[in-house]
Amino acid sequence: MLLIFRLEGESFGVSVDSVQEILDPQDPTPVPNADPFAYGLINVRGVVVPVIDVRRRLRMAPVDRKDTTRMIVLEHEIDGKMTKLAFSADAVDTVIEADLTALEKVPDLGASWPQSYLRGAIRRDDDLVVLLDTQTLFAPVMQSTAA
């Protein structure tokens, strides 16, 4: 099953297995010198959760919060440890059952999103849902150190 949400009018999906909850938007506490990808922290039921800028990773422009904006909190394995993280979506649509054997490759032409963050796309009625690859999308940016 997939949670379907919207960014810039496009439908994206992530597995509901990792989704913990969907919240009204919160203002993250900025983290000094943090990577812009993981720019702040929120408190989710007593747990400090990093906020990930999925829009930045997908090369989308920042947007102002709307009435439909929601924060999706999920649990994801990072460096072998289950970690809660959150990201904003312009809107959350629905949960659907999806046949992942029908996953199609997102064409390189026409898609402005980095292919490494996409698992593929599925058709849903007249819509195309892009399934995100959470393993690459939420992977920390590795900093190289110069000697």
Side-chain angles (χ1 to χ4, degrees), residues 1 3 17 32-34 61 87 89 99 101 114 120 124 127 134 147:
M1 295 181 74
L3 174 69
D17 293 339
N33 301 317
F87 67 95
D99 177 9
T101 62
R124 176 180 164 245
D127 202 7
T134 56

Side-chain angles (χ1 to χ4, degrees), residues 20-31 34 37-53 65 69-75 83-89:
Q20 300 290 301
E21 56 189 302
I22 298 167
L23 304 171
D24 287 335
Q26 298 180 35
D27 291 324
T29 300
V31 176
F37 162 66
Y39 61 94
L41 303 169
I42 60 172
N43 182 330
V44 179
R45 303 187 195 292
V47 176
V48 176
V49 176
V51 178
I52 305 301
D53 190 345
R65 185 181 296 171
T69 301
R70 297 292 176 266
M71 293 194 91
I72 300 170
V73 179
L74 50 84
E75 198 165 45
T83 305
K84 282 190 180 190
L85 51 89
F87 67 95
S88 287

